Amino acid sequence: MSEIKLLQGDCLELMKTIPDNSIDLTVTSPPYDNLRTYNNSLVWTEDCWKKAIECLFRVTKIGGVVVWVVGDSTINGSETGTSFKQALYAISCGFNLYDTMIYQKVNAQPLNHRRYEQTFEYMFVFSKDKPQKVNLIKTSCKSAGKRNTGTARNNGTDYLSKKHGYGKPYKKEEPKTNIWAYRDWE
């Protein structure tokens, strides 16, 4: 079994001490758009998050994964879009955008403004090449035991074909969706 280490400190300084291609998994929620200051210890600028993504690419093993949990602030009536800029920058550094997930806050505190409540953050799942290990969390399948009747598709000829899996019964479990809910407060 692999050794598990928890490192705490300035990510840019700590990653300098980590060897290339040595990390299997990183889960991080950086202080996006300076919505949190962490005791005024860091101003999270574009330069900072770009350096962090570059360092993460360097230290991540081939087949390793980085889960980058971020959101956007609203400035002058517009969401910043910083989360998307970060995802696109990670791709330009060599990461694959393996999955885009939503981290939904159930019962988030209501705000008084003229827009829908911001109750989610993005969880961008980046991989360096194809992920080495994928262990999807599963949930009970409501259609378990029922038969897949399939869908007819035109395959570019005059014939209709059934999609893969036609006629097979659904399994007892299926992978969770890419929207994960959690309680923020009660």
Side-chain angles (χ1 to χ4, degrees):
M1 186 160 131
S2 298
E3 180 181 357
I4 297 174
K5 285 185 181 179
L6 178 63
L7 303 175
Q8 184 177 352
D10 181 320
C11 68
L12 298 176
E13 291 303 314
L14 279 174
M15 282 194 282
K16 290 177 184 176
T17 68
I18 299 173
D20 294 0
N21 302 305
S22 62
I23 304 293
D24 293 301
L25 172 66
T26 301
V27 179
T28 183
S29 182
Y32 48 88
D33 284 342
N34 291 311
L35 292 176
R36 290 179 182 82
T37 61
Y38 301 101
N39 298 323
N40 295 316
S41 64
L42 174 68
V43 177
W44 191 251
T45 63
E46 182 173 336
D47 186 51
C48 288
W49 59 254
K50 283 184 172 181
K51 285 178 184 173
I53 290 169
E54 291 165 9
C55 289
L56 282 168
F57 186 78
R58 180 187 63 77
V59 302
T60 302
K61 287 182 180 177
I62 300 295
V65 170
V66 173
V67 181
W68 185 269
V69 184
V70 290
D72 298 298
S73 64
T74 301
I75 299 173
N76 296 326
S78 177
E79 291 184 15
T80 60
T82 304
S83 58
F84 297 109
K85 293 174 190 173
Q86 293 171 355
L88 292 172
Y89 188 73
I91 292 167
S92 75
C93 288
F95 278 115
N96 292 325
L97 180 53
Y98 184 74
D99 207 344
T100 302
M101 301 178 65
I102 300 294
Y103 199 34
Q104 180 188 15
K105 301 171 190 174
V106 179
N107 294 332
Q109 291 181 332
L111 302 173
N112 295 315
H113 50 73
R114 296 172 40 119
R115 62 179 63 235
Y116 293 109
E117 296 303 336
Q118 190 68 15
T119 62
F120 74 92
E121 296 173 11
Y122 294 102
M123 292 192 303
F124 294 114
V125 181
F126 302 116
S127 64
K128 192 170 182 179
D129 202 29
K130 292 181 182 177
Q132 187 74 21
K133 294 181 183 178
V134 177
N135 296 311
L136 300 176
I137 297 171
K138 296 193 176 187
T139 186
S140 297
C141 179
K142 292 179 184 175
S143 300
K146 294 180 182 176
R147 294 226 173 258
N148 178 351
T149 58
T151 302
R153 304 268 189 234
N154 185 336
N155 61 8
T157 66
D158 290 334
Y159 301 101
L160 293 178
S161 63
K162 296 288 185 174
K163 72 178 186 177
H164 179 71
Y166 173 73
K168 294 181 182 178
Y170 288 101
K171 295 178 181 179
K172 289 182 181 181
E173 294 183 319
E174 62 186 354
K176 269 184 77 125
T177 68
N178 62 351
I179 299 176
W180 291 13
Y182 75 98
R183 290 209 177 286
D184 193 26
W185 63 280
E186 295 195 35

